Amino acid sequence: MFIIIRNNQQYGPYSIDVLRQYVEDGQILLHDQACEESRPNEIATVKQLLKLNHQNVKISNKGGLFSQIKAMGRELIFPKGLLNKQAIKSDSRLLLLSLIGLLPLALIGLVRIIAESAPVIVFYSVSLYFSVIWGLFFFYFFKTKQVTLKTTIKIFFLCQLAVFLIFGFGINLLNPFYFLEERMGFLGRLVFYIFAVGITEEIVKSIPLWIVQSRAKEPIVPQTLVFYGLMSGIAFGVFEGVQYQMEVNVELDYTGAFFMNIARLTCLPFLHAVWCGISGYFCAFAALYPKYRRGLYSLSIAIPALLHGLYDTFGGGLIGVAISFIGVVLLMTYLKNGLNYQSKLRN
């Protein structure tokens, strides 16, 4: 006699003939688990047990192709409410899946219409598309009860506004370390990329965080501001990516331009996000423990600027990957040890 096991439920016992008949009728599946009643610990599949007992099974079809489809019914293929507007609006997974999967098709039409007259709109639209994907990714890993879509969108576009105003009007050139740009050499590059590029860009990315923090109606937990920092970093990466695609990448050969365009939409915005996520972490602590705010706000810029500057100095390759990985490890370690840091700062 044999016991059938499906989804942790047991059925039977059945004789081998009954078991074979149930399989042929489709009531028991060949891949269901089974065992002999006298040997409950020796689990096999129904297919294996039938073979061991020299049982040949022939599962018959219930009619031909069209009769089977007819017997299944129209509902299986075209369920009721398939195009119900209310049901579609309420299904967030369907909407997100459609947005991510179908938006590039809409952009194809945009490219055909305005590619030559306004290429910046095309580049910016594609960058926004990748921003949505990154945003969903970060939301999945870092969301908190305090995170809201409204604030997320505000931070994203506040960062882009800050980038436009500060870099568009040359305010960034007020940083005295920019004079090193033409006096390179390794040490000059290192100082330039940390104190000019790194500090300036990390401050710009942090501006939306400071605004949100100043208007908060409750203390913001570190992980919330980390998420907002990630989104501000992505926003900066989008703006920078469009600029590079319009000015720098167009001068490369086709292969180089293709790769750099992809990198400017994926990996490099991710780096900006990680660095600004670290900034958000320390900004949150500065607000929670104002006695240490000078040190914490300084660290919120200094650590990301150092990572940023080192990456820019050494560029791509294994060293650049190692520096980037250290940034990710730092961010995750900070979050993991957040409670320990809070207990220390309370003293």
Side-chain angles (χ1 to χ4, degrees):
M1 301 295 283
F2 298 90
I3 302 293
I4 305 302
I5 307 166
R6 181 187 293 178
N7 298 329
N8 296 321
Q9 295 290 323
Q10 293 189 2
Y11 305 90
Y14 307 114
S15 66
I16 193 66
D17 292 328
V18 172
L19 180 59
R20 186 191 69 246
Q21 187 61 51
Y22 278 158
V23 171
E24 291 179 345
D25 291 342
Q27 297 180 51
I28 292 177
L29 304 176
L30 289 171
H31 292 288
D32 279 332
Q33 290 185 321
C35 64
E36 291 189 46
E37 188 178 17
S38 59
R39 299 176 180 177
N41 295 324
E42 297 180 12
I43 306 296
T45 64
V46 170
K47 182 178 181 179
Q48 291 170 329
L49 290 178
L50 289 171
K51 186 176 181 180
L52 287 173
N53 287 274
H54 310 290
Q55 297 292 317
N56 295 319
V57 177
K58 185 178 181 181
I59 303 174
S60 59
N61 274 292
K62 188 176 182 179
L65 171 62
F66 293 106
S67 63
Q68 287 184 14
I69 292 176
K70 184 178 180 180
M72 293 175 196
R74 189 184 304 171
E75 280 293 307
L76 182 68
I77 304 170
F78 299 105
K80 285 184 179 179
L82 178 67
L83 297 177
N84 183 283
K85 189 181 295 186
Q86 193 62 36
I88 291 174
K89 285 183 178 180
S90 62
D91 192 336
S92 58
R93 288 193 305 172
L94 183 151
L95 293 174
L96 287 174
L97 187 63
S98 299
L99 175 66
I100 293 171
L102 301 179
L103 186 57
L105 294 179
L107 295 178
I108 290 175
L110 179 67
V111 169
R112 290 173 178 170
I113 296 171
I114 65 171
E116 293 185 5
S117 60
V120 65
I121 297 178
V122 176
F123 287 128
Y124 188 71
S125 299
V126 175
S127 296
L128 286 178
Y129 170 71
F130 279 93
S131 299
V132 171
I133 296 176
W134 274 123
L136 293 172
F137 177 81
F138 290 140
F139 182 77
Y140 176 80
F141 278 100
F142 298 97
K143 64 181 177 182
T144 69
K145 293 181 179 179
Q146 291 180 321
V147 170
T148 66
L149 179 61
K150 183 178 179 181
T151 303
T152 302
I153 294 173
K154 282 182 179 179
I155 282 178
F156 185 88
F157 289 105
L158 271 173
C159 179
Q160 297 206 333
L161 178 62
V163 174
F164 176 77
L165 293 175
I166 292 173
F167 289 91
F169 289 95
I171 299 174
N172 58 305
L173 297 178
L174 295 175
N175 184 329
F177 287 96
Y178 270 96
F179 81 91
L180 289 171
E181 186 173 7
E182 296 180 359
R183 303 181 186 181
M184 291 313 209
F186 176 77
L187 185 59
R189 283 202 313 274
L190 182 63
V191 173
F192 171 75
Y193 283 122
I194 293 176
F195 291 93
V197 176
I199 286 181
T200 303
E201 293 188 1
E202 297 309 322
I203 287 176
V204 171
K205 287 186 287 184
S206 295
I207 289 173
L209 305 184
W210 300 337
I211 293 174
V212 168
Q213 204 171 37
S214 67
R215 297 187 174 186
K217 297 180 180 179
E218 63 176 345
I220 300 179
V221 299
Q223 187 164 325
T224 298
L225 215 58
V226 165
F227 172 78
Y228 289 144
L230 291 167
M231 294 309 302
S232 185
I234 286 294
F236 184 94
V238 165
F239 199 100
E240 185 182 66
V242 171
Q243 182 183 34
Y244 270 81
Q245 289 175 77
M246 293 288 295
E247 299 175 4
V248 179
N249 295 357
V250 292
E251 298 179 1
L252 303 175
D253 61 87
Y254 175 80
T255 304
F258 174 81
F259 176 80
M260 289 307 300
N261 285 342
I262 296 297
R264 284 289 170 188
L265 294 172
T266 54
C267 183
L268 296 178
F270 172 75
L271 294 184
H272 280 294
V274 169
W275 298 330
C276 195
I278 292 173
S279 181
Y281 178 83
F282 284 101
C283 284
F285 272 100
L288 291 173
Y289 304 98
K291 290 190 298 183
Y292 297 96
R293 63 185 181 277
R294 288 181 180 175
L296 289 166
Y297 276 125
S298 297
L299 290 173
S300 75
I301 300 300
I303 295 175
L306 177 62
L307 292 169
H308 190 158
L310 287 172
Y311 175 82
D312 283 353
T313 301
F314 289 99
L318 293 178
I319 296 178
V321 172
I323 293 169
S324 305
F325 181 68
I326 289 171
V328 177
V329 172
L330 273 176
L331 176 61
M332 300 309 294
T333 304
Y334 288 149
L335 286 171
K336 192 182 299 183
N337 294 301
L339 292 177
N340 293 334
Y341 296 156
Q342 290 187 55
S343 61
K344 184 175 183 178
L345 291 174
R346 287 192 192 101
N347 298 328

